[in-house]
Amino acid sequence: MITFKSTSLIVPSEATPNGLLPLSEIDQAMQWTHAPLIIIYKPNNNKTIPFSIEKMKYSLSRALVHYYPLAGRLHWIEGGRLELHCNAMGVQLSEAYSEAELDEFGDFTPNGLIQHLFPRIDYTTTSIEEQPLFLVQVTRFPCGGLCVGTAISHIMADGRAAMNFTNAWAKLARGEELGCDEMPFHDRTMLRSRQAPPVRPLSDHIAFTKPPLLIGCSDTKAEQKKETSAALLKVTKEQVEELQKKANQNMVMPARPYTRYEAVAGHIWRCACKVRAGDNCQPTRALLVADIRNRIKPPLPQGYFGNAIFDALTSTCLYADLLSKPLSYASGKLREAIEAVTDEYITSALDFIASQKDVGPLRKNFHIRGYTEAPFLGNPNVYMGSWISLPLYNVDFGWGKPVYVGPGILHSDGKMFIMRDPADEGSLVIALCLQTQCMDSFKEFFYKDIYDL
């Protein structure tokens, strides 16, 4: 289906700083695999997209002058930690052609077919010291459409930092220059522990505690073996407004109204509990992600390039409460979790990570010498990330804005991303993964309960 024409290593077009760049404590706790993203472009009015692989290569090499850490390599050090060598070894760019038409990929649900559109690394045979930190695959389709599939190291950047880089590359590809306010900030010591090393013992931090198990189970092995399916669900502007209305019905004013994310995510959590049909006394938690750029003191520069996100965990709730109480209950629990990520919460978490002799158990990959799946966050729990505020649809390489941007892979039960719908202002798209046995019921309840709650 996919034929590769070329694969190149792209290095910075000018000399860049050489040496070690200290990673933050948050970087050290991140998964060391790569996050895949697909960016889809279609020709406008049957006009041919003015694509040039040489322009893509040259603009990428120029972007790496500013984002030079991406051209480096990671190395293992003591305690399961990593260090970054800024050595300009380069990133990988591949040009590919698809025999299948773009329309054959449907709505770009992150399933097996979509995985042909982004670069992959065999983590079992390639050492981390050899792995590029950013890989891109540009796939051309018979219709003239394009897919820019990227994979960026989780250690290097969170979603906002990754999109800042991708948009900077696209701007250079358009022949424009980067402004002073678009330059990345590379000092990651701002998110290091403020105690070196911590002088006091630290108990387990809530961000690293294990989520509840199914009643009667001592581990997650049986649930992890169950088949999963991915889906993309569209939520219209009217449906979003209806959920916000319901979430805010029981709010004691003058409290700040629940956002569309809080309302939609609360609804998702309830529906997941409903289709999993567990005991009413089943405990469950939701894992969210908080951007801490403006939560830590002093605030981080907006151009901070690295990981500036932190897990926000709800308190443990019961199925019975989530399903019997109004939507405001679930939305309120989500808000409480996000608001708990304060400067004190963040600094205590940084101290906790720094205090660990081995950070391997904290990382999203438990086995640091070989690739493993991320820790199981599924049944009876959910992970709901918000991509609503990310500048996903600003990525214009000179071909116009993309028609779709979304995750390249989603295979962990209970994991979901809430994104903007580019075709309909105010509408949302939810990329989700659930056990296959639950998916059809989830879709039914999700839409039906918007109006029946």
Side-chain angles (χ1 to χ4, degrees):
M1 175 182 288
I2 301 292
T3 302
F4 286 89
K5 181 179 179 181
S6 66
T7 297
S8 307
L9 271 181
I10 309 299
V11 300
S13 61
E14 301 174 16
T16 54
N18 196 321
L20 295 179
L21 191 153
L23 297 173
S24 74
E25 312 299 352
I26 297 179
D27 297 328
Q28 296 290 2
M30 295 299 291
Q31 193 172 348
W32 57 260
T33 50
H34 295 66
L37 189 77
I38 57 170
I39 311 172
I40 306 293
Y41 300 86
K42 290 184 177 180
N44 293 323
N45 300 320
N46 296 319
K47 293 182 179 178
T48 303
I49 290 178
F51 173 77
S52 166
I53 191 65
E54 293 306 319
K55 182 181 289 187
M56 295 290 282
K57 291 179 180 179
Y58 178 60
S59 55
L60 180 54
S61 70
R62 290 189 62 203
L64 290 174
V65 173
H66 306 292
Y67 288 86
Y68 62 89
L70 271 184
R73 294 294 184 271
L74 294 171
H75 291 256
W76 291 113
I77 55 177
E78 292 182 349
R81 289 174 165 80
L82 290 159
E83 63 182 9
L84 174 62
H85 291 203
C86 295
N87 51 20
M89 288 187 66
V91 303
Q92 180 179 299
L93 187 151
S94 299
E95 182 183 9
Y97 292 85
S98 171
E99 297 175 8
E101 293 287 352
L102 191 53
D103 290 343
E104 293 181 44
F105 288 83
D107 63 357
F108 309 111
T109 296
N111 54 28
L113 190 61
I114 295 299
Q115 293 179 43
H116 295 286
L117 299 181
F118 61 85
R120 287 164 289 175
I121 292 177
D122 185 347
Y123 298 102
T124 63
T125 59
T126 307
S127 70
I128 200 167
E129 293 82 4
E130 301 174 277
Q131 297 167 14
L133 301 177
F134 178 75
L135 304 94
V136 60
Q137 175 184 322
V138 182
T139 305
R140 303 172 69 177
F141 296 88
C143 65
L146 288 165
C147 174
V148 177
T150 65
I152 192 167
S153 168
H154 280 284
I155 300 293
M156 295 303 298
D158 59 16
R160 185 165 298 279
M163 293 313 302
N164 286 346
F165 164 71
T166 307
N167 277 301
W169 173 26
K171 187 172 184 179
L172 292 169
R174 296 197 304 269
E176 302 175 30
E177 297 299 322
L178 301 183
C180 294
D181 60 340
E182 296 173 295
M183 293 298 170
F185 182 85
H186 294 302
D187 183 3
R188 302 190 181 205
T189 60
M190 295 183 72
L191 289 179
R192 297 290 295 271
S193 171
R194 297 179 187 180
Q195 304 178 43
V199 295
R200 55 186 171 83
L202 292 161
S203 60
D204 286 347
H205 194 279
I206 186 174
F208 303 104
T209 56
K210 294 182 178 180
L213 295 170
L214 278 178
I215 291 175
C217 295
S218 59
D219 56 44
T220 63
K221 291 180 180 178
E223 292 302 304
Q224 284 183 281
K225 292 178 181 178
K226 294 181 179 178
E227 180 185 10
T228 61
S229 297
L232 290 179
L233 303 184
K234 181 172 180 177
V235 193
T236 66
K237 179 181 179 181
E238 292 72 25
Q239 290 169 330
V240 172
E241 291 173 347
E242 182 67 19
L243 286 172
Q244 282 188 272
K245 177 182 175 182
K246 291 183 182 299
N248 290 307
Q249 276 178 345
N250 299 283
M251 176 175 281
V252 178
M253 301 305 287
R256 177 168 53 89
Y258 288 118
T259 65
R260 56 180 175 171
Y261 169 74
E262 291 167 336
V264 173
H267 181 59
I268 291 172
W269 192 11
R270 289 169 55 125
C271 290
C273 294
K274 193 170 184 178
V275 300
R276 285 165 170 171
D279 189 307
N280 280 339
C281 295
Q282 173 65 53
T284 176
R285 294 177 84 175
L287 172 65
L288 317 172
V289 176
D291 188 322
I292 66 171
R293 284 167 173 78
N294 292 320
R295 293 174 181 270
I296 198 165
K297 299 177 183 178
L300 296 175
Q302 289 304 302
Y304 181 84
F305 185 72
N307 288 289
I309 55 174
F310 222 87
D311 290 347
L313 285 164
T314 66
S315 58
T316 299
C317 301
L318 299 180
Y319 276 15
D321 290 333
L322 285 166
L323 296 176
S324 65
K325 294 183 178 182
L327 179 57
S328 57
Y329 177 79
S331 296
K333 292 297 181 181
L334 300 177
R335 175 173 289 184
E336 288 174 6
I338 292 292
E339 290 183 342
V341 184
T342 61
D343 179 69
E344 182 180 4
Y345 178 100
I346 296 163
T347 52
S348 69
L350 298 179
D351 288 348
F352 177 74
I353 298 170
S355 74
Q356 304 302 298
K357 291 183 179 180
D358 183 357
V359 298
L362 303 184
R363 190 172 284 123
K364 301 299 190 292
N365 299 90
F366 286 144
H367 299 294
I368 62 174
R369 299 303 181 193
Y371 176 68
T372 63
E373 298 294 334
F376 185 71
L377 300 172
N379 193 10
N381 308 292
V382 291
Y383 170 100
M384 297 180 290
S386 175
W387 287 7
I388 296 173
S389 65
L390 294 183
L392 300 175
Y393 290 94
N394 295 347
V395 187
D396 179 2
F397 288 94
W399 317 323
K401 293 186 177 182
V403 297
Y404 175 78
V405 183
I409 191 169
L410 203 54
H411 54 48
S412 180
D413 175 37
K415 191 167 187 177
M416 310 171 197
F417 295 103
I418 302 175
M419 311 177 290
R420 285 192 302 116
D421 183 349
D424 187 2
E425 186 65 31
S427 297
L428 298 173
V429 174
I430 302 168
L432 73 153
C433 180
L434 285 173
Q435 291 175 5
T436 302
Q437 64 186 8
C438 295
M439 183 61 80
D440 288 342
S441 296
F442 181 90
K443 291 178 182 178
E444 178 184 351
F445 290 133
F446 180 85
Y447 290 110
K448 179 176 178 290
D449 288 358
I450 289 176
Y451 297 100
D452 289 351
L453 286 172

